[in-house]
Amino acid sequence: MAAIKASKEQKYDRQLRLWGDHGQEALENAHVCLINATATGTEILKNLVLPGIGAFTIVDGHTVSGEDVGNNFFLSNNSIGKNRAQAASELLQELNTDVSGNFVEESPNKLLDNNPEFFNRFTIVIGVQLPESTCLRLASVLWSASVPFLVCKCYGLIGYMRLVVEEHTVIESHPDNALEDLRLLQPFSELKKHIESYNLDSMDKRDHSHTPWVIIVAKHLEQWLSEHNCQPPKNYKEKEAFRQFIREGILKNDNGVPEDEENFEEAIKNVNTALNPTKIPSAVEDLFNSKACNNITSQTPSFWVMLRAVKEFASKEGNGSLPVRGTIPDMIADSQKFINLQNVYREKAMQDALAVSKHVECLLQSIGKPPESISEKDIKLFCKNSSFLRVVGCRSLAEEYSVDSVNKDEITSSMDNPDSEMVFYLMLRSVDRFYQLHSRYPGVYNYQVEEDISKLKLCVNSLLQEYSLNVNIKDDYIHEFCRYGAAEPHTVAAFLGGSAAQEAIKIISHQFVPFNNTFIYNAMSQTSATLQL
């Protein structure tokens, strides 16, 4: 068992640093359904099989054609005539022996007719190159079953993704520029005591230059507050004066020249970080005020139970603050001083997590659930990340496509720039309309490109008319989409495959924040945009 764990750690070393053991575990327990093993579909799966998802099932009723082999690395000449799901799953499985691969030789429409519950068992369903009618049917089934649905389409030099998930909770959002949680403006009693144990004036040179910058700022802040009516430095001028005040604390040699004390330089550099007020972020306040947080029932997911417990903690033991995160940044200090300071924060974080777990216990009791239904480990992780909690709620496809609830404002404002990525969204919708009318995509056959241009133009106009959209789509785009002939170039498929797999991992691991809700990639200009439709 230990040997297996060690070999996995070696195999997945780099990604474990990104999402940890628990993220990897979520991945290994996931079962992903891919509909259509086209070039884009197999690229997405490749990027999920390599990091080690537990299992995948490919649903595809098509047989492999010469065209498929031309743009899909997971099909070979020998695959021609075979079922596409079977041929692709054989080669995909070779990438990672830890992953179990299955296939279903059926079209999604047939499964939706005969056994719609088939799709409910998956962690996420990824639909690739699906016609609009199939997409809407499948989206409706998955929405009712609370299964996330990722729609992907590669059309010529345009890539499209749409995430359909009613509620997706994120505990570890991994923000890029997270501020440290040091509480220097409102120190807790143990931190106060620890700060008081230092006397910068009576230290020898070695200790003075190896005192953590957090302590240096805290000691100078105490003095500043006593001289400034208990008001911390707030504006730029005051902060500059405070930096100068710290600078004056640097030891001087016999000639009155300041010593080279890097820890003081670090303190001066981190004044803004240190003086960051301790407050609950507005995004978390919004979650506290949400219906899901305030109406806890036996059906409530553990995320909301823990959130309610943190809310109760903040209003009681936390005195208006979230649980202490329990981590400190790396800094110049001797090992013992750093470890002592680290332990002060770590122990306070453990105390806070314990207080939160008592609230969790009471809440679980009130809804008739056993206290062990939410583990201590989960509560600690939740407390540590309580400043960064996120909930993503996408609109359903039915809402987006309905004339009554279409997001006209977003479309119209984006189309103020006639070359914005929104034009590709409208073109893809028009192309779907063309498919509904003619059972084929425009420009698929060279001899029809010219006549398809006027047919596609009619589809564009009828779409704009139906949604009462007063926007202008240049003829160039209509010509371009007919010229694409629904081709799926491998370069675009590969880019979309990487992007879609990344979003699927976010959904599976509940880490990092997925996009909301539409993503368009333009391979001509190498630009992309996220739209809320």
Side-chain angles (χ1 to χ4, degrees):
M1 191 66 195
I4 293 170
K5 192 170 186 272
S7 78
K8 270 196 175 170
E9 279 175 7
Q10 209 174 349
K11 182 175 183 176
Y12 298 129
D13 173 60
R14 290 173 81 175
Q15 66 203 45
L16 285 169
R17 295 164 198 243
L18 273 180
W19 51 67
D21 291 341
H22 53 292
Q24 188 62 29
E25 194 182 330
L27 220 56
E28 288 172 11
N29 290 331
H31 191 168
V32 176
C33 175
L34 171 76
I35 299 170
N36 289 335
T38 66
T40 307
T42 54
E43 284 294 328
I44 296 169
L45 261 193
K46 174 197 82 178
N47 292 313
L48 292 173
V49 167
L50 287 170
I53 51 163
F56 67 82
T57 296
I58 300 177
V59 173
D60 194 340
H62 296 90
T63 51
V64 178
S65 65
E67 195 181 325
D68 287 324
V69 175
N71 74 342
N72 193 329
F73 279 116
F74 293 92
L75 299 170
S76 64
N77 284 335
N78 309 336
S79 315
I80 294 175
K82 279 188 190 173
N83 172 264
R84 195 164 64 181
Q86 181 186 358
S89 73
E90 282 168 8
L91 283 174
L92 280 161
Q93 267 182 287
E94 286 181 18
L95 294 174
N96 193 340
T97 50
D98 295 341
V99 179
S100 138
N102 317 282
F103 60 91
V104 176
E105 300 182 35
E106 287 270 26
S107 75
N109 278 331
K110 234 181 202 163
L111 282 172
L112 285 167
D113 289 340
N114 305 328
N115 181 17
E117 286 79 36
F118 169 83
F119 294 102
N120 298 1
R121 72 180 91 161
F122 297 107
T123 316
I124 181 170
V125 174
I126 302 169
V128 180
Q129 310 296 78
L130 290 172
E132 188 177 294
S133 55
T134 310
C135 242
L136 282 165
R137 276 184 78 192
L138 185 56
S140 166
V141 166
L142 295 171
W143 186 268
S144 309
S146 301
V147 176
F149 182 32
L150 184 59
V151 182
C152 300
K153 186 173 264 184
C154 167
Y155 199 97
L157 295 175
I158 303 302
Y160 163 88
M161 287 195 287
R162 167 67 153 93
L163 182 61
V164 190
V165 59
E166 190 171 3
E167 179 187 280
H168 175 72
T169 55
V170 184
I171 296 172
E172 294 169 90
S173 58
H174 300 278
D176 287 335
N177 305 308
L179 291 162
E180 299 295 341
D181 182 23
L182 299 171
R183 313 269 169 130
L184 294 186
L185 291 175
Q186 286 167 280
F188 46 92
S189 56
E190 296 87 345
L191 180 59
K192 260 187 190 161
K193 243 184 241 168
H194 186 71
I195 295 164
E196 280 162 17
S197 71
Y198 281 84
N199 184 346
L200 293 173
D201 300 331
S202 63
M203 280 182 186
D204 63 25
K205 186 180 165 186
R206 195 193 168 283
D207 276 348
H208 199 268
S209 61
H210 287 82
T211 296
W213 70 256
V214 170
I215 302 294
I216 295 169
V217 172
K219 294 301 266 184
H220 285 79
L221 186 61
E222 269 177 15
Q223 222 175 315
W224 172 282
L225 293 171
S226 67
E227 292 167 14
H228 291 80
N229 205 10
C230 292
Q231 289 301 306
K234 285 179 182 152
N235 54 37
Y236 176 76
K237 192 180 170 188
E238 287 174 359
K239 283 179 184 173
E240 273 304 300
F242 184 60
R243 286 187 184 98
Q244 186 53 38
F245 181 43
I246 295 173
R247 205 169 274 119
E248 285 159 12
I250 296 174
L251 287 181
K252 294 179 176 63
N253 66 16
D254 297 340
N255 301 323
V257 178
E259 295 280 5
D260 189 13
E261 293 195 299
E262 287 181 77
N263 55 339
F264 271 76
E265 292 302 331
E266 220 173 24
I268 291 160
K269 200 173 79 190
N270 283 293
V271 161
N272 271 348
T273 306
L275 298 178
N276 186 44
T278 305
K279 58 174 193 257
I280 298 173
S282 57
V284 177
E285 282 281 14
D286 292 345
L287 293 180
F288 280 171
N289 297 328
S290 66
K291 201 172 155 189
C293 179
N294 294 303
N295 299 344
I296 302 290
T297 69
S298 57
Q299 272 12 96
T300 302
S302 59
F303 176 92
W304 295 104
V305 176
M306 290 191 282
L307 184 75
R308 174 66 176 274
V310 167
K311 180 184 180 178
E312 288 178 7
F313 167 89
S315 66
K316 292 174 186 163
E317 300 94 333
N319 298 319
S321 298
L322 294 171
V324 166
R325 207 176 303 152
T327 56
I328 58 171
D330 209 4
M331 60 188 79
I332 292 160
D334 63 43
S335 299
Q336 202 48 57
K337 289 192 181 74
F338 181 80
I339 289 165
N340 291 345
L341 180 64
Q342 195 175 41
N343 286 341
V344 169
Y345 282 98
R346 197 173 278 169
E347 279 158 25
K348 176 63 174 160
M350 282 162 79
Q351 279 175 30
D352 287 359
L354 195 64
V356 170
S357 66
K358 288 202 166 72
H359 287 291
V360 169
E361 215 171 294
C362 293
L363 286 164
L364 290 171
Q365 220 170 346
S366 71
I367 54 175
K369 279 188 164 179
E372 59 273 13
S373 50
I374 298 178
S375 72
E376 288 289 330
K377 191 177 158 192
D378 287 348
I379 295 168
K380 278 182 186 166
L381 185 72
F382 197 90
C383 290
K384 186 180 177 182
N385 290 282
S386 55
S387 296
F388 316 124
L389 304 169
R390 294 286 179 273
V391 175
V392 175
C394 303
R395 299 209 313 156
S396 70
L397 265 191
E399 280 177 289
E400 179 191 326
Y401 284 36
S402 157
V403 174
D404 303 322
S405 52
V406 64
N407 194 344
K408 271 172 72 171
D409 295 345
E410 174 90 355
I411 296 172
T412 317
S413 63
S414 296
M415 286 300 286
D416 286 346
N417 167 13
D419 294 315
S420 83
E421 272 77 9
M422 185 62 81
V423 73
F424 301 117
Y425 167 75
L426 294 171
M427 285 306 305
L428 288 168
R429 291 288 306 275
S430 305
V431 158
D432 276 332
R433 194 161 278 223
F434 185 104
Y435 184 88
Q436 278 172 344
L437 291 170
H438 306 287
S439 302
R440 63 176 179 83
Y441 286 107
V444 171
Y445 305 108
N446 285 343
Y447 67 88
Q448 286 176 320
V449 171
E450 287 308 313
E451 62 182 87
D452 281 354
I453 288 171
S454 52
K455 286 178 184 170
L456 182 57
K457 196 166 186 178
L458 288 173
C459 293
V460 169
N461 291 336
S462 84
L463 179 86
L464 299 179
Q465 212 171 341
E466 186 180 317
Y467 290 114
S468 316
L469 291 167
N470 187 18
V471 298
N472 178 40
I473 292 179
K474 295 176 185 172
D475 282 355
D476 288 0
Y477 290 114
I478 296 167
H479 288 240
E480 189 73 6
F481 270 69
C482 283
R483 210 164 54 238
Y484 288 157
E488 197 181 351
H490 184 263
T491 45
V492 184
F495 178 89
L496 203 61
S499 308
Q502 185 174 289
E503 295 307 313
I505 288 170
K506 290 177 189 177
I507 295 288
I508 293 164
S509 67
H510 286 264
Q511 293 189 39
F512 302 93
V513 184
F515 70 92
N516 184 6
N517 53 25
T518 302
F519 172 85
I520 305 273
Y521 169 62
N522 174 3
M524 291 175 278
S525 60
Q526 296 287 296
T527 53
S528 65
T530 304
L531 314 166
Q532 242 178 317
L533 296 165

